[in-house]
Amino acid sequence: MSTDAADEIAAALARLRGRRPRPPFPPEAHHHPHGGHGGPWGRGAPPWVDPAHGRFGGPARLRMLDALVAASGSLSVGEIADAVGVDQPRASRLVQQSVELGLVAREPDPDDARRTRVRLTPEGQGLVSGFRGRRRDAVRSALESFSDDERTEFARLLAKFADAWPRD
């Protein structure tokens, strides 16, 4: 299977998910009564659930972490708000909670001493890498019955669809 098509499809799905304010399944689906999980992550909890402490973030936090990876550096809270599709107060809360979890760190803005920038920590990078790997594996599994030509065409059409999806 073409890795490029799977990566392009995973990226398009992430763009679509970034424009939806709700998780892909109901909150009650996050924990299975027997310790497993019935959602797309198999028996384990989704990456935004810490089994020891409960839910520690949601899709908005993962979109924020994805935005920081895509930026290849630090972002301001305003830039994070734009990238995640939330207002600035919500972005500030996401950043503060993520700082407390050790996923991101604040650093002074070199151009404006009144502002801070936000960067990923190694722990945040690890979480994103793990999530992206699971997302890519799920896409590859779903594409097993597709021919190479079908995968390529699906990736092209889904990317076009995701790019045209309204941001509101």
Side-chain angles (χ1 to χ4, degrees):
M1 170 189 319
S2 167
T3 301
D4 293 340
D7 289 342
E8 288 174 27
I9 290 166
L13 290 171
R15 287 196 307 276
L16 282 173
R17 180 168 290 132
R19 294 177 185 170
R20 282 191 328 165
R22 63 190 192 309
F25 43 84
E28 62 272 8
H30 287 226
H31 293 287
H32 189 276
H34 304 292
H37 179 267
W41 292 274
R43 292 196 48 79
W48 58 82
V49 174
D50 176 352
H53 302 100
R55 186 177 168 105
F56 70 80
R61 179 166 345 260
L62 290 175
R63 290 192 310 267
M64 178 189 72
L65 297 175
D66 267 339
L68 287 166
V69 168
S72 299
S74 62
L75 294 173
S76 70
V77 173
E79 291 167 332
I80 289 170
D82 290 342
V84 174
V86 298
D87 60 22
Q88 196 148 349
R90 173 74 172 126
S92 292
R93 287 190 301 275
L94 284 170
V95 168
Q96 183 56 41
Q97 292 162 356
S98 297
V99 166
E100 291 168 4
L101 291 167
L103 302 174
V104 301
R106 293 179 191 265
E107 58 189 22
D109 186 323
D111 299 325
D112 186 345
R114 298 169 295 172
R115 296 175 60 181
T116 60
R117 310 246 340 137
V118 179
R119 65 169 174 77
L120 277 177
T121 62
E123 293 82 7
Q125 181 65 49
L127 180 70
V128 173
S129 294
F131 178 71
R132 283 183 168 180
R134 285 187 292 276
R135 182 189 303 154
R136 200 171 24 256
D137 290 347
V139 168
R140 284 192 179 116
S141 175
L143 292 173
E144 284 180 358
S145 67
F146 285 52
S147 71
D148 284 340
D149 288 342
E150 288 171 331
R151 287 183 198 106
T152 300
E153 182 65 3
F154 180 66
R156 185 186 72 75
L157 291 171
L158 185 59
K160 183 176 180 179
F161 180 80
D163 291 342
W165 190 265
R167 290 197 65 89
D168 299 51

